[in-house]
Amino acid sequence: MKETRFEHLYFSQYGLQLFQSCPLRFQRRYFEGLTWKLNRLANPDVLRGQEQGRRFHLLAERYFLGIPTGIENIPQEKMLHQWIAALKQFAPVIPDNQYFPEFELRLNKGELKLQGKYDLIRVDQERNITIYDWKTEEKLLSPSKVQGSFQTILYRFLMVEAGAAVIGGAIQPQHVSMIYWQPNHPGEAIKIRYSDALYEQDKRFLENLIGEIKGFDFDAFDKEQTDRKVCKYCEYHGICHKEPGNYDMISYQQEEDGE
């Protein structure tokens, strides 16, 4: 039964994060298939922010594809105009570089079945690869938290393992870096360089965590083992605790990993 559960499952940074926060959240989503949108219950400000972020990602994709963004058709969206202007200043398109916006990679190698959808991959003339990730939230990112995040660990490892599809050849960790950039804080980009040592560290971490997930007894897990602070802002709160959660504060993170 356990093997059947994982037969077609590719692990994304979102899925790994869900398991760490609460195995029941992972079970509800990936084994029981319980996914829905709580738009009518959510804080309108949260939803507006999400929609603005979605639009920014679409405009950024068009910009790096070299096609008209169409931003002139939404003059009322002043914030988006500011964000795109800041993006063009931060990451101007360099003619001799290659750009792959909204690019998905998958890896199926041994016990590692991984997937990630990248906001942007840039390959320069020396075949150095830069992974860009756009974060449109208001709060300034913490460099230390970003460094150890599931997204950083998964995306840079996956790039080395599966990125040959991007550049047409093997990738060495030292040729990979990752940049987190916030249009709300355009001068505060966080750049993380990769290395052989970090690659080996990421590989062990992912292998161990996925091994733990596959060996975990979800059926025996008691919801009381989960931190109630996590439960309070969980979309499955009503199922586990028979009462509504705080829907204004629930994380409506969309699956950005090609799932």
Side-chain angles (χ1 to χ4, degrees):
M1 177 61 178
K2 286 185 178 181
E3 288 303 316
T4 303
R5 284 177 168 182
F6 296 103
E7 185 177 357
H8 302 293
L9 178 61
Y10 279 78
F11 291 93
S12 66
Q13 62 96 8
Y14 184 65
L16 297 174
Q17 186 177 322
L18 279 189
F19 176 80
Q20 186 188 59
S21 68
C22 174
L24 277 179
R25 291 185 74 188
F26 185 95
Q27 179 178 8
R28 302 281 190 226
R29 182 179 181 91
Y30 296 105
F31 299 157
E32 299 174 11
L34 298 179
T35 60
W36 59 82
K37 293 184 178 181
L38 302 173
N39 291 0
R40 286 179 293 178
L41 299 174
N43 186 320
D45 291 334
V46 173
L47 295 177
R48 278 194 294 271
Q50 286 190 334
E51 177 60 18
Q52 193 168 51
R54 186 193 68 79
R55 287 186 175 186
F56 173 76
H57 278 74
L58 176 60
L59 294 171
E61 178 183 13
R62 291 175 178 175
Y63 167 61
F64 288 108
L65 285 174
I67 62 177
T69 63
I71 194 170
E72 67 278 0
N73 297 321
I74 48 173
Q76 70 278 14
E77 296 288 350
K78 294 183 180 180
M79 182 65 76
L80 278 177
H81 282 262
Q82 294 173 3
W83 285 2
I84 292 299
L87 176 65
K88 290 180 177 180
Q89 183 175 4
F90 172 72
V93 173
I94 302 171
D96 293 330
N97 287 187
Q98 293 178 286
Y99 294 87
F100 302 88
E102 300 300 325
F103 196 89
E104 181 181 349
L105 287 177
R106 283 195 171 195
L107 174 70
N108 187 349
K109 185 177 180 181
E111 293 298 308
L112 292 177
K113 293 179 68 174
L114 307 171
Q115 66 178 14
K117 188 174 182 181
Y118 297 76
D119 288 346
L120 177 68
I121 299 167
R122 178 173 67 89
V123 184
D124 68 18
Q125 288 180 291
E126 286 72 43
R127 296 166 68 87
N128 294 309
I129 296 175
T130 305
I131 301 164
Y132 290 88
D133 194 81
W134 323 125
K135 298 296 186 187
T136 58
E137 59 262 40
E138 188 84 31
K139 186 178 179 182
L140 183 64
L141 293 176
S142 163
S144 59
K145 288 185 178 180
V146 164
Q147 176 75 44
S149 70
F150 282 113
Q151 185 172 15
T152 298
I153 292 170
L154 176 62
Y155 278 33
R156 60 191 184 183
F157 176 81
L158 182 59
M159 178 58 64
V160 171
E161 287 290 324
V166 179
I167 68 168
I171 297 173
Q172 300 301 317
Q174 61 267 26
H175 294 155
V176 175
S177 60
M178 188 166 183
I179 293 177
Y180 288 89
W181 185 76
Q182 297 177 269
N184 277 314
H185 306 281
E188 302 292 336
I190 300 172
K191 184 171 184 178
I192 303 169
R193 298 187 182 278
Y194 212 21
S195 66
D196 289 337
L198 287 172
Y199 166 81
E200 292 296 336
Q201 177 179 300
D202 291 346
K203 182 180 181 181
R204 288 193 300 272
F205 175 83
L206 291 168
E207 287 177 339
N208 290 339
L209 180 56
I210 290 173
E212 179 185 351
I213 295 173
K214 288 186 173 181
F216 193 83
D217 191 346
F218 289 90
D219 299 322
F221 184 78
D222 186 346
K223 63 179 180 294
E224 299 304 326
Q225 294 175 248
T226 299
D227 186 341
R228 290 303 292 266
K229 291 179 181 178
V230 174
C231 293
K232 187 177 180 180
Y233 306 120
C234 175
E235 64 268 41
Y236 305 115
H237 188 282
I239 297 175
C240 293
H241 300 286
K242 313 303 180 186
E243 60 183 17
N246 186 342
Y247 294 116
D248 279 354
M249 296 299 293
I250 283 177
S251 171
Y252 293 89
Q253 179 178 352
Q254 297 297 312
E255 191 63 72
E256 297 178 350
D257 308 281
E259 184 176 289

